[in-house]
Amino acid sequence: MMNLADSAPATNNMLGSEADSQRTLYPYVTGTSVIGIKYKDGLLFAADMGGSYGSTLRYKSVERLKSVGKHSVIGASGEISDFQEIMRYLDELILFDNMWDDGNSLGPKEVHNYLTRVMYNRRNKFNPLWNSLVLGGIKNGKKYLGTVSMIGVHYEDDHVATGFGNHLARPILRDEWHENLTYEEGVKLLEKCMRVLLYRDRSAVNKLQIAKITEEGFTVSEPYSLKTSWDFNAFKNPTLDAEGSW
């Protein structure tokens, strides 16, 4: 007859191996806002290169804009390691698609739909990927731009943003964006949004990249900094008109 005590270690091992297979339970190293817009000839994305360890701005060279296949670009805010896991999923998806060798390739709409299923599936397993994603691209002359959250909420629009950008940058985009933006005007608009985020978001760093995607392909700028000014009265004495004891 089996001794129940003898079976206890096996049960513990099984529980241990289940725990070992868990992914991110809490976000540790995170990136902040990503902004994407359509412009006259394609799409533009902007993201800074900061990676925060909790409230500490630990890393300052984290690239969060990546190409996906021939037609798409993805940007991510949230947990950096989970973004790497998502890129592994996408690499496998693109490789599998290429293996068919049928002359067709996945476009941005298909990739966006795939990501919504992945995020929603992981959310339903109570093991989410802690990211908000922006996905856009051009295929057959049609521009596509969409976003998906860590719980699978998704939509497409002419301009999208994640994180603080959804609160601080999109009001600017609603006022100033139009479909006939030139490349120079689009970059200027994104820089205005990123400057506002730099002033107001403690996780933002003054080192950013801008990605451009057209029918010719994907390019991303070298990292650069924005010209800023901290001489505003509100910055000099932020508690001047604040109520309460400070």
Side-chain angles (χ1 to χ4, degrees):
M1 182 174 179
M2 188 191 316
N3 189 336
L4 293 178
D6 294 337
S7 65
T11 305
N12 290 337
N13 287 339
M14 288 177 65
L15 291 174
S17 85
E18 268 186 35
D20 292 342
S21 69
Q22 291 289 332
R23 301 290 180 182
T24 306
L25 300 181
Y26 302 98
Y28 285 94
V29 179
T30 59
T32 185
S33 308
V34 179
I35 305 172
I37 65 172
K38 295 178 183 178
Y39 77 104
K40 185 177 180 181
D41 300 317
L43 295 98
L44 293 169
F45 285 48
D48 71 24
M49 303 186 72
S52 298
Y53 183 78
S55 60
T56 302
L57 191 55
R58 175 65 179 83
Y59 304 101
K60 298 182 181 179
S61 296
V62 180
E63 295 187 6
R64 296 186 288 122
L65 301 175
K66 303 286 186 181
S67 62
V68 181
K70 299 177 181 178
H71 309 285
S72 308
V73 174
I74 188 173
S77 59
E79 173 61 46
I80 301 301
S81 63
D82 281 355
F83 180 43
Q84 293 170 339
E85 178 77 356
I86 289 169
M87 289 307 302
R88 187 180 69 82
Y89 290 164
L90 292 176
D91 287 343
E92 291 180 358
L93 178 72
I94 298 300
L95 178 62
F96 182 76
D97 182 59
N98 289 340
M99 288 173 61
W100 286 96
D101 195 23
D102 57 359
N104 192 26
S105 56
L106 293 174
K109 185 173 183 178
E110 291 79 30
V111 176
H112 186 222
N113 287 340
Y114 170 79
L115 289 172
T116 63
R117 297 302 90 203
V118 168
M119 303 301 272
Y120 187 66
N121 175 267
R122 289 290 295 264
R123 171 254 185 166
N124 284 347
K125 293 180 177 179
F126 295 92
N127 187 19
L129 294 161
W130 293 74
N131 297 103
S132 293
L133 307 172
V134 174
L135 192 287
I138 302 178
K139 185 179 180 183
N140 299 328
K142 294 183 178 179
K143 292 177 279 191
Y144 183 92
L145 180 62
T147 182
V148 56
S149 74
M150 65 177 286
I151 60 173
V153 176
H154 62 282
Y155 61 90
E156 56 180 293
D157 206 340
D158 294 321
H159 49 77
V160 297
T162 65
F164 265 102
N166 210 25
H167 305 284
L168 300 178
R170 292 208 68 196
I172 299 172
L173 296 174
R174 292 188 188 103
D175 288 339
E176 301 185 23
W177 180 89
H178 58 86
E179 61 183 5
N180 292 318
L181 283 172
T182 65
Y183 170 74
E184 291 76 15
E185 290 171 337
V187 170
K188 187 176 179 181
L189 180 56
L190 285 179
E191 288 181 345
K192 180 177 182 178
C193 294
M194 296 302 289
R195 188 176 289 108
V196 169
L197 290 171
L198 177 62
Y199 287 148
R200 298 297 183 185
D201 183 359
R202 74 172 184 181
S203 298
V205 60
N206 194 8
K207 184 180 180 183
L208 69 146
Q209 289 180 301
I210 290 183
K212 177 178 76 169
I213 184 164
T214 63
E215 290 199 85
E216 285 71 41
F218 164 80
T219 58
V220 61
S221 71
E222 290 296 319
Y224 68 99
S225 299
L226 298 173
K227 184 177 180 180
T228 59
S229 172
W230 298 91
D231 292 333
F232 302 109
N233 290 332
F235 292 154
K236 291 179 180 178
N237 191 353
T239 63
L240 179 62
D241 297 316
E243 296 181 2
S245 58
W246 296 86

